[in-house]
Amino acid sequence: VTGTMTLEQTPFCTVEHQLTHRKIKMVGYLCKVSKGRNERNDKARWLRLDRTNSLALSQAMKRVLTRLAEHIR
């Protein structure tokens, strides 16, 4: 991603998830990007948070997005 990026120092969530053979830990940080675009894939696009419910995402990622929605309210 190009452009100006600001990353908050404190995570908005930590999600732990048990897979069959290992545990994963996802830590969510809020990042604000202005005038950004993806140089590697010009077909990539940003989605509004309320448009992500139709995506095929893992349960762990869905939990991160739920916490993000709660954080930005």
Side-chain angles (χ1 to χ4, degrees), residues 14-18 23-26 60 63:
T14 300
V15 171
E16 295 186 11
H17 190 73
Q18 176 71 47
K23 289 183 181 182
I24 62 170
K25 182 179 192 179
M26 300 173 82
R63 286 177 28 214

Side-chain angles (χ1 to χ4, degrees), residues 14-55:
T14 300
V15 171
E16 295 186 11
H17 190 73
Q18 176 71 47
L19 300 173
T20 305
H21 56 290
R22 69 175 57 122
K23 289 183 181 182
I24 62 170
K25 182 179 192 179
M26 300 173 82
V27 181
Y29 289 88
L30 190 62
C31 179
K32 296 180 182 180
V33 178
S34 62
K35 298 180 182 178
R37 64 183 178 86
N38 189 329
E39 289 184 333
R40 287 194 250 162
N41 183 355
D42 61 355
K43 294 180 183 179
R45 58 192 164 86
W46 294 100
L47 288 178
R48 291 182 4 192
L49 190 55
D50 63 351
R51 302 275 176 134
T52 59
N53 56 356
S54 63
L55 299 176

